[in-house]
Amino acid sequence: MIRLLRILLVEDDENLANGISYALTQEGWETTLAGSVSYALEMLESGDFDLALLDVMLPDGNGFELCKKIRERSEMPIIFLTARDEEVNIVMGLESGADDYVTKPFKLRELISRIKANARRIQKRSVDGVSSLKSGPIELDSSKMRAYRYEKEIILTPTEFRILRTLMENEGIVLGRDRLLQKVWDVDGEFIDDNTLSVHIRKLREKVEEDPSRPKLIETLRGLGYRWNGEK
């Protein structure tokens, strides 16, 4: 069961926002609507949310900058709602700290499934034990969601942290796409775009590899998946 969620929906298309809000309410979730960056920031100051849905283009700014501001204060899951299915926008969204994106027009079933996946991840993390993990030059502190390379902190998004932790926990084991998605997003992967995972892996390599163009820690086995080689 997914517990009650408090969702911040930032979308300036009133008809679309009302439709999404109605669907989320039917799931038993509380939804706060914001049609601009400024109003969203005002709501964040006065409210406590579990998840944010962000449109890219807004009347007084864009979702990318808003996402960065949210990340300064919260690790809650962020999903982008974008009408432009272009890699540059996907990359910008993920780089700004988002966990996922949904391309308009989308089916509400798809959006709800992604929200539920993130909600399960929140619940799972809340009951996980405190632990640290070290492999090769990388060390993770799961209790504080922090990562270190040769004892120097590296800044990871929550999704990058989960991917890295999953790979390190399964050192030497090839994790197929579906298995990695299930462990990181806690879903069967049906609604997670291949490109989303690929972008996260690429950005992660830029932060943990000595030479991202020739990765040694995160190995790609073409047609099979990814493997962590920390102790090699």
Side-chain angles (χ1 to χ4, degrees), residues 21-36:
S21 178
Y22 177 79
L24 301 184
T25 301
Q26 293 301 299
E27 294 291 324
W29 302 331
E30 293 181 1
T31 306
T32 298
L33 301 180
S36 65

Side-chain angles (χ1 to χ4, degrees), residues 36 57 74 112 118 130 145 166 181 199 202 209 220 232:
S36 65
M57 302 305 296
S74 172
I112 290 171
N118 280 281
V130 175
M145 291 284 287
T166 299
L181 288 173
V199 170
R202 178 168 63 80
E209 298 280 0
T220 298
K232 275 194 174 183

Side-chain angles (χ1 to χ4, degrees), residues 75 125-126 128-133 139-148 161 165:
E75 294 181 354
R125 193 174 75 188
S126 68
D128 280 346
V130 175
S131 63
S132 61
L133 184 63
E139 184 172 2
L140 302 182
D141 184 341
S142 294
S143 64
K144 297 180 180 179
M145 291 284 287
R146 290 183 175 177
Y148 304 87
F161 187 92
R165 181 175 60 187

Side-chain angles (χ1 to χ4, degrees), residues 122-184:
I122 295 170
Q123 293 173 339
K124 183 177 185 299
R125 193 174 75 188
S126 68
V127 298
D128 280 346
V130 175
S131 63
S132 61
L133 184 63
K134 191 177 189 305
S135 178
I138 307 299
E139 184 172 2
L140 302 182
D141 184 341
S142 294
S143 64
K144 297 180 180 179
M145 291 284 287
R146 290 183 175 177
Y148 304 87
R149 184 177 185 272
Y150 292 119
E151 300 184 354
K152 183 178 180 180
E153 185 172 4
I154 52 178
I155 306 303
L156 303 179
T157 67
T159 298
E160 289 169 350
F161 187 92
R162 296 196 304 275
I163 292 173
L164 182 56
R165 181 175 60 187
T166 299
L167 289 169
M168 290 175 63
E169 288 174 342
N170 295 274
E171 183 171 352
I173 298 173
V174 178
L175 293 179
R177 171 188 173 278
D178 291 343
R179 186 177 177 194
L180 185 56
L181 288 173
Q182 184 178 36
K183 286 180 173 292
V184 174

Side-chain angles (χ1 to χ4, degrees), residues 1-61:
M1 293 291 293
I2 303 300
R3 66 175 175 81
L4 171 67
L5 294 179
R6 294 156 298 182
I7 299 175
L8 175 64
L9 171 58
V10 187
E11 169 62 65
D12 64 336
D13 184 324
E14 187 175 348
N15 290 332
L16 178 59
N18 287 334
I20 294 174
S21 178
Y22 177 79
L24 301 184
T25 301
Q26 293 301 299
E27 294 291 324
W29 302 331
E30 293 181 1
T31 306
T32 298
L33 301 180
S36 65
V37 172
S38 57
Y39 189 61
L41 291 173
E42 187 178 327
M43 291 299 96
L44 286 165
E45 288 290 343
S46 60
D48 185 19
F49 299 98
D50 299 305
L51 183 143
L53 301 174
L54 308 183
D55 188 17
V56 174
M57 302 305 296
L58 296 163
D60 58 345

